[in-house]
Amino acid sequence: MINITLPDNSVRQYEQGVTGLDIARSISEGLARNVLSVKVNGEVWDATRKINSDARVQLLTWEDAEGKETMWHSSAHLMAEAIEQLYPGSKFGIGPAIENGFYYDIDLGDRVLTEAELAEVEKRMLQLAREKQQFVREEVAKTEALRYFTEKGDEYKIELIGDLQDGTITFYKSGTFTDLCRGPHLPDTSFIKAVKLTSIAGAYWRGDEKRKQLTRVYGITFPKAKELEEYLALLEEAKKRDHRKLGKELELFTFSQNVGAGLPLWLPKGAQLRERLEAYLKKVQKEAGYQPVITPHIGNVNLYKTSGHFEKYGSDSFRPITTPVEGEMFFLKPMNCPHHCEIFAHKPHSYKDLPIRYAEFGTVYRYEQSGELHGLTRVRGFTQDDAHIFCTPDQIKDEFKGVIKIIMRIFKALDFKDFITQISLRDPNNPGKYIGSEENWSKAERAIIEVAEEEGLNAIAVEGEAAFYGPKMDFMVRDALGRKWQLGTIQVDYNLPERFDLYYIGSDNEKHRPVMIHRAPFGSMERFVAVLIEHCAGKFPLWLAPEQVIILPISEKYQNYAQKVLSYLQNSDIRALIDERSEKTGRKIRDAELRKIPYMLIVGEKEELEGTVSVRRQGEGDLGTFTMEAFAARIQEEVAIIHQEQ
RNA sequence: GCCGGUGUAGCUCAGUUGGCCAGAGCAGCUGAUUUGUAAUCAGCUGGUCGGGGGUUCGAAUCCCUCCACCGGCUCCA
């Protein structure tokens, strides 16, 4: 007998060789029907795998992330089986579970798989699922594994096996499909009740652009048909929040082929919104001791040779700008730091001057690959809310802290709760690829980690993700469809001060190298606004809304009174307008709701007589009658929230 | 850049076995209506069918090519 400890710390005794499924059955039949896999001493196993010694066991179902992962990983196998049957000779790369579903990379030979054909694959998958095929785990020797895939002619699997360290190699068989796989898997395919193959894409083998491109098929499965429907409905809802759709509907920005791909045109309302964000950040930065600077959009090629950007990225940027002078070349600036370095260098600095913080909403241009462009989140010309802090190594920690405070203040003001903080550190196995002294690096890395803890950030530290010039901290937010975008960033840089030979005079009257911190709380105005739109689904907080109030006169008879209300509001610094159309009130309300204007004021005979307004809040409905003064006060109070937080 | 998909009026979309002057709703304009919490009625205007080339007696529809957009991959200063 062995002792099995369950998550509630109860201990049960079972025969040696008991499986997760057996344990589930001993608790209840219902549970047994829902067990997808089992966690044994922290490792996820097949629910059908024998447990031979005392263990801590957790049964995993659809409710657990690991349960879903098992489901989706098995679904990838099921899809591979279906594809192998439908398109014999297909070779398989990797087929993992992902955040929402799974994919499999497949070499279909000369065959081109189109989206129309996915329905066939889905059908076959459901057929096979109903066959209740068992997933059979089998331990094989490396030579045997190689022999199997050599016979099959699947060079991808051979390569994968070749890379495996010794230890146990396992195969999983289900139906007619055998795969190299660590597992775990479902007990059988019948758990998969609903299948949706969502898209088809090219993916380079092992993520290497120079290697063969395989066909990647994405899909998702569910244990109940209803859950698939719900998932698809959720996707539909998310699409309504897409900033590209809302940006068009709300007339915030547009693109023109005549201007060029990836070059956004901000429409009046979008520009207003952006200017308000900029004004807000300028105010916050002024309080935090930043000094504004302004630099031109182009720079001499020599500037980028000095900074090292020319060598590294010159070929991927917009082509150089030439002049009447033979050999003279300028580049559209891909970043602001070289310019700011020159500003720092324009005169000598004392240690007493540090830290120096130069801030600029600097517009930069980068020739992103055409396939990468994406609404406002990935463009070729964008404005960073950039600043560069020049400080001593000892000041890094405080400066980091100051920047984090600004970022948190902004995120809080805009109600960004779900963000990911990532600290990027050196790769400890490859110290040679970084510039800067060991001492400075560890000092900076320690400072960042400490600040993150002190500020209560739930940051994840990732080794090997640092830039060659310094460690950094990034803030990432998801869009409506769950894609992660990097917004704010704080980066320590030992490289540019070196390259630009920047120095300050220390108390010892000697020259010292300052450290540079690049930072951008929004990241870029374009990307930030995009994510903001998706976050609030176009219903901006009142202080940001391009139009705050719309006055809806019941009929033309009340135009004069509407004008009077308008003047009153405008004098109170409230952004208002009148819907003067000869339409019914219901129509005006509907249109204002769709325009997502926060407040609607209905004015007619009653209001004119009393000097009041009937207030309707977008998305909420009728709030009752207010005097003009009371309404204006309410608005001002709501707007003032942004100025009160600290 | 690569793989797959899409491109018809300002917007959302009909229109493919190739065939009369390419359609609808919304928006816009004109007029009527004078309206009380999510669409008043009527008339009118508006389209190089993404661009270019080709096949054909005839192309929105078939072929080639370029561009843009969508979903991914790679990349990301």
Side-chain angles (χ1 to χ4, degrees), chain A residues 236-349:
Chain A
E236 282 307 307
E237 275 309 303
K239 277 188 196 152
K240 291 183 190 160
R241 301 171 80 97
D242 191 313
H243 77 277
R244 292 165 297 189
K245 181 176 152 69
L246 285 169
K248 193 184 275 182
E249 286 171 5
L250 301 179
E251 299 185 336
L252 300 171
F253 60 88
T254 189
F255 289 90
S256 158
Q257 288 194 33
N258 299 322
V259 175
L263 299 170
L265 303 172
W266 292 78
L267 301 175
K269 286 179 201 171
Q272 273 198 56
L273 178 75
R274 169 174 159 175
E275 285 190 343
R276 290 217 159 71
L277 284 168
E278 290 182 359
Y280 171 65
L281 182 58
K282 277 181 185 165
K283 176 176 157 272
V284 170
Q285 289 183 163
K286 194 174 170 192
E287 288 168 15
Y290 286 76
Q291 306 177 77
V293 294
I294 295 172
T295 64
H297 285 230
I298 63 174
N300 193 292
V301 64
N302 294 322
L303 182 70
Y304 301 109
K305 283 184 177 164
T306 301
S307 70
H309 293 116
F310 177 76
E311 193 190 350
K312 215 166 164 119
Y313 302 107
S315 56
D316 298 328
S317 70
F318 282 102
R319 301 328 292 160
I321 300 162
T322 53
T323 73
V325 176
E326 179 70 26
E328 190 173 50
M329 271 204 292
F330 291 84
F331 271 87
L332 276 168
K333 68 176 172 187
M335 74 289 302
N336 305 298
C337 22
H339 289 75
H340 290 187
C341 285
E342 290 298 325
I343 291 180
F344 181 84
H346 91 285
K347 71 169 188 184
H349 296 280

Side-chain angles (χ1 to χ4, degrees), chain A residues 372-393:
Chain A
E372 258 313 318
L373 302 175
H374 185 98
L376 276 189
T377 49
R378 197 68 187 276
V379 289
R380 285 178 172 162
F382 57 96
T383 301
Q384 296 178 313
D385 55 328
D386 214 354
H388 295 94
I389 300 170
F390 299 86
C391 64
T392 68

Side-chain angles (χ1 to χ4, degrees), chain A residues 365-427:
Chain A
Y365 300 89
R366 303 174 185 180
Y367 194 81
E368 303 292 352
Q369 297 189 81
S370 59
E372 258 313 318
L373 302 175
H374 185 98
L376 276 189
T377 49
R378 197 68 187 276
V379 289
R380 285 178 172 162
F382 57 96
T383 301
Q384 296 178 313
D385 55 328
D386 214 354
H388 295 94
I389 300 170
F390 299 86
C391 64
T392 68
D394 291 333
Q395 290 170 330
I396 290 178
K397 189 172 171 184
D398 280 345
E399 287 308 303
F400 237 85
K401 195 178 270 188
V403 176
I404 289 172
K405 283 214 155 79
I406 290 176
I407 294 175
M408 287 306 112
R409 190 170 161 186
I410 288 166
F411 279 20
K412 200 175 147 210
L414 293 166
D415 204 27
F416 279 21
K417 293 192 191 90
D418 299 318
F419 57 88
I420 300 155
T421 309
Q422 179 179 313
I423 297 172
S424 300
L425 306 170
R426 276 174 301 182
D427 179 352

Side-chain angles (χ1 to χ4, degrees), chain A residues 157-170:
Chain A
K157 294 295 178 190
I158 293 171
E159 186 177 328
L160 290 174
I161 294 167
D163 288 353
L164 286 177
Q165 307 302 321
D166 37 333
T168 317
I169 291 177
T170 51

